[in-house]
Amino acid sequence: MGDDVSEGGLRCLVTGATGYIGGRLVPELLAAGHRVRCMARSPGALRDHEWAGDVEVVRGDVTDPESVAGAMRDIDVAYYLVHALGTGKGFEETDRRAARTFGERARAAGVRRIVYLGGLTPARVPEKELSPHLRSRAEVGHVLLDSGVPTTVLRAAVIIGSGSASFEMLRYLTERLPVMVTPSWVRTRIQPIAVRDVLRTLVGSARMPDDVSRAFDIGGPEILTYREMMVRYAAVAGLPRRLIVPVPVLTPRLSSHWVGLVTPVPNSIARPLTESLRHEVVCHEHDIARLVPDPPGGLIGFEESVRLALRRVREARVATRWSSASVPGAPSDPLPTDPDWAGGSLYTDRREQPVDASPEALWRVIEGIGGDNGWYSFPLAWAVRGWLDRLVGGVGLRRGRRDAARLRVGDSLDFWRVEEIERGHLLRLRAEMRLPGLAWLEMYVDTDEDGGVRYRQRALFHPHGLLGHAYWWSVSPFHAVVFGGMARNIARTAARTEPAPARLGTPGTPGAPGAPGG
């Protein structure tokens, strides 16, 4: 990045670009004429985004001072969009240390502004009485404001947009339960905000005057109870009126299990969301409008934000989802690709199947796996595995897919995450279910020496300790049913959708597929 900020806009660093807000902010900054550098622990997770070729991507972690210092070089505005929610009991200390490192390195690099998106805190409630989630978000704001770098802290309550955790929670609770016995927090007043207004404000904050360094409350034009939000959602979605009966006995812990049971949002994320709803979260001021003016038509109302989100969902145009970022605590180790890997035991289950279909048809089936299409074998076994994962705090099978037909590196896919795609050839998934080890599933489109199409499948497991070995051997008797059935059914499905054309000869002979000429 050069030194002249008058050409090409400001030089912006975005952390959390693999997450829900960060992944949507990057194209908005580019559209505003800014230059963008993304810092990510796994840069490959950004590879398949439409804007990937228009940004600089660097490897880094906000808890690593050296990588943060490198990412800050020649930056004007640094966006802090990460937090350690759900990483364990020490997440508040991790958040504190990361924010301090970020602020110190920004100051040393001469960054002109830090922009942070935090949570809206209730009035007249001491911070020590807030949920750990809200308390930590507030503390991160204080640390950044004390960094010596002019800082904009934006504090939002519930963000309504396709794929946001708050929207998915609202959507599934309302759609799946015509009669609801709900926690008392459904009476809590909330000021939701459309994700479009959040993004507009984040982009506008980049050009605040240097003498502005403070927190701003941001919210939409309406204050509603959670109950009113569910009733209005039902009306916009064309659902019959919902019967909602609040009861006082559901604690935040029980509430999170209730949300986890009904929605795709796992307990680890549902709990901080529900804890944040114990207190009224309403804007105390709207000073942000003096520096980032409201749009000519005003802020987007709740019902319009729901319409926009539902349209995106129905048109399969969800850019990012709450699950875009890796699940806290989920394994992130890449697959050991060295055939002679010396990292310990690596169990494998290999399957291979001839396919009477074109390579393109087989690839479409592979890339469309999961979500509503399922896993092509023993649905009950997959469902039980998902339920067991939810019971121990995992993500289960309910995350589904971001897009019904197309995957990209970094996408969540039920309780897997896409680790690698070679279009038309390889899909590699990394397991994010709770396991005593690391697991991957690979699916290949291949050809044999006669030019026939073959489906190849490989499941791998790297056990952790004796429990990991015991786990592999306890489930291995079921592999023939689960993995064998998957291979056979994927091949059959591809053949049904597009049978292979008759081969006229062998490769290299006139008229054969792959022969030169014609």
Side-chain angles (χ1 to χ4, degrees):
M1 293 187 179
D3 294 327
D4 186 359
V5 299
S6 65
E7 295 182 9
L10 299 171
R11 298 161 297 195
C12 300
L13 172 68
V14 177
T15 61
T18 58
Y20 177 72
I21 292 293
R24 296 188 180 210
L25 176 63
V26 169
E28 297 295 326
L29 290 170
L30 292 171
H34 301 308
R35 286 170 285 173
V36 178
R37 176 184 296 157
C38 298
M39 184 177 78
R41 286 178 297 177
S42 302
L46 301 175
R47 188 188 72 196
D48 293 335
H49 286 265
E50 293 180 358
W51 40 261
D54 300 321
V55 303
E56 178 188 357
V57 180
V58 297
R59 185 184 302 276
D61 190 305
V62 289
T63 60
D64 174 27
E66 189 173 335
S67 66
V68 174
M72 291 284 187
R73 195 171 296 121
D74 299 326
I75 288 296
D76 298 306
V77 181
Y79 285 89
Y80 192 79
L81 302 173
V82 296
H83 57 88
L85 171 66
T87 55
K89 293 182 179 178
F91 84 89
E92 290 182 84
E93 173 55 32
T94 302
D95 268 340
R96 187 181 306 118
R97 186 176 72 254
R100 192 175 295 123
T101 296
F102 195 81
E104 290 170 352
R105 297 307 173 187
R107 182 177 182 181
V111 171
R112 295 167 57 182
R113 177 162 299 278
I114 294 171
V115 181
Y116 167 60
L117 178 62
L120 187 59
T121 53
R124 297 180 296 279
V125 177
E127 286 190 2
K128 64 181 181 181
E129 295 180 14
L130 297 176
S131 69
H133 165 61
L134 271 184
R135 185 170 62 238
S136 182
R137 301 296 289 272
E139 184 182 14
V140 166
H142 298 323
V143 170
L144 295 175
L145 285 166
D146 292 340
S147 66
V149 178
T151 297
T152 302
V153 174
L154 302 176
R155 305 191 302 184
V158 171
I159 296 176
I160 302 296
S162 59
S164 78
S166 296
F167 177 73
E168 292 287 276
M169 190 170 113
L170 173 69
R171 173 188 168 202
Y172 279 90
L173 286 176
T174 309
E175 290 187 354
R176 291 183 173 177
L177 298 176
V179 178
M180 285 177 272
V181 176
T182 60
S184 58
W185 49 252
V186 297
R187 299 192 186 99
T188 301
R189 296 202 317 154
I190 304 161
Q191 193 162 350
I193 182 170
V195 68
R196 295 190 184 196
D197 283 328
V198 173
L199 295 171
R200 179 184 53 79
T201 307
L202 283 166
V203 173
S205 295
R207 294 194 180 276
M208 282 189 180
D210 292 345
D211 60 351
V212 175
S213 186
R214 54 162 290 190
F216 297 89
D217 293 351
I218 60 172
E222 299 161 277
I223 298 171
L224 305 165
T225 65
Y226 204 89
R227 182 184 185 282
E228 289 171 329
M229 288 168 59
M230 288 192 285
V231 169
R232 291 199 187 187
Y233 176 94
V236 172
L239 302 170
R241 186 175 179 84
R242 273 28 195 164
L243 178 60
I244 302 167
V245 183
V247 294
V249 296
L250 288 178
T251 64
R253 179 183 291 274
L254 289 174
S255 293
S256 66
H257 286 295
W258 174 68
V259 171
L261 182 67
V262 177
T263 81
V265 181
N267 294 356
S268 60
I269 295 175
R271 185 166 185 185
L273 290 177
T274 56
E275 284 180 334
S276 301
L277 296 171
R278 287 186 300 165
H279 303 290
E280 179 176 286
V281 276
V282 172
C283 295
H284 319 318
E285 38 81 13
H286 190 50
D287 298 346
I288 191 71
R290 295 203 295 265
L291 297 159
V292 183
D294 292 345
L299 299 171
I300 299 172
F302 175 77
E303 291 182 10
E304 179 61 17
S305 67
V306 169
R307 286 191 191 94
L308 291 169
L310 286 176
R311 186 185 309 155
R312 289 262 182 175
V313 170
R314 289 164 181 167
E315 294 175 356
R317 293 191 299 120
V318 179
T320 59
R321 299 177 69 218
W322 60 271
S323 56
S324 297
S326 295
V327 173
S332 58
D333 306 49
L335 174 69
T337 54
D338 184 349
D340 299 319
W341 182 60
S345 300
L346 190 64
Y347 293 114
T348 61
D349 179 278
R350 289 183 172 88
R351 306 283 164 173
E352 189 171 322
Q353 197 74 23
V355 183
D356 188 20
S358 68
E360 294 77 16
L362 177 56
W363 177 252
R364 281 195 296 272
V365 175
I366 291 173
E367 193 173 8
I369 200 166
D372 291 340
N373 291 328
W375 292 88
Y376 293 100
S377 72
F378 205 174
L380 180 60
W382 286 95
V384 169
R385 187 62 186 86
W387 296 333
L388 291 174
D389 195 51
R390 299 284 287 201
L391 283 175
V392 295
V395 295
L397 280 175
R398 293 193 188 150
R399 291 190 301 183
R401 301 172 52 105
R402 178 190 58 84
D403 185 289
R406 193 168 176 84
L407 294 172
R408 65 190 183 199
V409 170
D411 271 359
S412 61
L413 179 59
D414 292 329
F415 48 39
W416 305 87
R417 189 167 298 275
V418 179
E419 184 172 276
E420 183 58 83
I421 298 178
E422 295 175 20
R423 300 222 173 265
H425 176 58
L426 164 68
L427 173 63
R428 179 186 299 142
L429 307 176
R430 186 184 71 244
E432 288 191 334
M433 73 279 279
R434 298 294 179 93
L435 289 170
L438 306 174
W440 298 266
L441 178 62
E442 293 181 328
M443 290 166 274
Y444 293 87
V445 176
D446 221 332
T447 54
D448 59 28
E449 60 226 21
D450 297 323
V453 178
R454 299 193 74 82
Y455 170 70
R456 303 185 197 274
Q457 177 180 294
R458 187 168 70 142
L460 303 102
F461 183 67
H462 173 214
H464 287 168
L466 183 60
L467 183 60
H469 290 277
Y471 172 82
W472 174 264
W473 289 111
S474 68
V475 299
S476 58
F478 302 101
H479 287 173
V481 175
V482 175
F483 291 134
M486 176 187 293
R488 290 190 297 272
N489 290 330
I490 285 175
R492 288 170 187 160
T493 302
R496 281 200 305 269
T497 57
E498 185 184 318
R503 293 197 295 276
L504 302 179
T506 57
T509 62

